[in-house]
Amino acid sequence: DQQVKQNSPSLSVQEGRISILNCDYTNSMFDYFLWYKKYPAEGPTFLISISSIKDKNEDGRFTVFLNKSAKHLSLHIVPSQPGDSAVYFCAASGTSGTYKYIFGTGTRLKVLA
Amino acid sequence: NAGVTQTPKFRILKIGQSMTLQCAQDMNHNYMYWYRQDPGMGLKLIYYSVGAGITDKGEVPNGYNVSRSTTEDFPLRLELAAPSQTSVYFCASSYSPGNVDTEAFFGQGTRLTVV
């Protein structure tokens, strides 16, 4: 049972345009969500997070949006740069009882120069 | 401050052999995790620990064992290696996810091939 889903395995975007990566979750106990970025042969690195009490969190070129009623979140990268090409993982955790991070399957982003 | 350190980086095992993947963190995190990454399958949680002496199963624990005798170390044991355990293994650590604005820090990974 995949509790965190990323339905797009890959995405290609032109440099300078917006990249939108999507994530859905099924467990209503999740109330904290994170995005990680992973380059080949490296471990995932934390990018940005959002608590369920917010619907948006912004950090430079990266913005995460959360729609609790739809159990959906998205990561926007504006403007996209070739160095953003990586695999992006969505993760979810709970602040009461679900003390572990559950990850999605990842989306491979390719930013074309 | 090394963060999360995993050893070895690469290993080839024969079917039926055993090995231990080592993981150490120097951030005084109470939570530690083991994940495996298979192509197209994302990161699956194998085992996790909420502190020294306490471990619990994740999504895919079969074929693995863990122990947590110290805050710093969280080794993962494969007793009878099988081809299905060919994967990239990541160790991670964090403060309690029950605190908002807490993220997990990952090691560089161990690429294991069972032949």
Side-chain angles (χ1 to χ4, degrees):
Chain A
D1 177 31
Q2 190 72 28
Q3 298 186 68
V4 179
K5 303 176 186 178
Q6 294 176 257
N7 292 319
S8 298
S10 64
L11 175 69
S12 290
V13 171
Q14 207 66 34
E15 181 180 6
R17 306 295 290 267
I18 184 171
S19 296
I20 300 177
L21 293 86
N22 294 303
C23 178
D24 297 292
Y25 62 96
T26 58
N27 191 335
S28 57
M29 294 296 291
F30 291 146
D31 56 7
Y32 185 55
F33 306 90
L34 311 90
W35 285 95
Y36 279 79
K37 178 178 180 179
K38 185 184 179 305
Y39 292 117
E42 294 184 10
T45 55
F46 171 72
L47 192 58
I48 192 170
S49 63
I50 188 167
S51 163
S52 61
I53 62 172
K54 297 181 179 179
D55 54 18
K56 175 182 174 182
N57 189 26
E58 194 170 352
D59 184 2
R61 296 186 297 113
F62 303 91
T63 303
V64 56
F65 296 92
L66 176 63
N67 182 333
K68 278 185 64 178
S69 60
K71 294 191 176 67
H72 176 84
L73 61 154
S74 60
L75 174 68
H76 292 210
I77 307 173
V78 182
S80 300
Q81 299 173 354
D84 296 330
S85 297
V87 177
Y88 290 78
F89 290 101
C90 169
S93 177
T95 53
S96 60
T98 310
Y99 292 148
K100 48 191 184 258
Y101 298 99
I102 302 299
F103 282 78
T105 51
T107 296
R108 182 178 301 276
L109 173 66
K110 188 171 183 180
V111 180
L112 307 169
Chain B
N1 191 338
V4 179
T5 303
Q6 291 184 238
T7 55
K9 288 188 168 48
F10 305 94
R11 183 73 185 267
I12 298 175
L13 274 184
K14 293 185 178 179
I15 295 171
Q17 284 186 322
S18 301
M19 78 163 294
T20 299
L21 281 67
Q22 301 292 345
C23 176
Q25 54 94 7
D26 61 1
M27 295 173 281
N28 203 30
H29 287 159
N30 49 340
Y31 278 66
M32 295 188 75
Y33 317 82
W34 274 105
Y35 291 89
R36 59 177 286 174
Q37 184 190 11
D38 301 324
M41 298 299 291
L43 293 162
K44 291 289 189 183
L45 182 65
I46 305 171
Y47 271 95
Y48 68 106
S49 169
V50 304
I54 307 170
T55 62
D56 205 351
K57 297 177 181 178
E59 302 165 280
V60 290
N62 291 342
Y64 306 95
N65 278 301
V66 293
S67 59
R68 183 97 181 270
S69 56
T70 67
T71 299
E72 295 77 19
D73 300 297
F74 191 40
L76 178 71
R77 179 86 178 156
L78 283 71
E79 289 293 349
L80 292 169
S84 61
Q85 293 177 304
T86 294
S87 188
V88 181
Y89 292 82
F90 291 101
C91 179
S93 71
S94 74
Y95 292 116
S96 170
N99 300 316
V100 177
D101 294 334
T102 297
E103 74 265 21
F105 294 81
F106 281 80
Q108 294 283 75
T110 295
R111 183 175 294 275
L112 175 68
T113 302
V114 182
V115 296

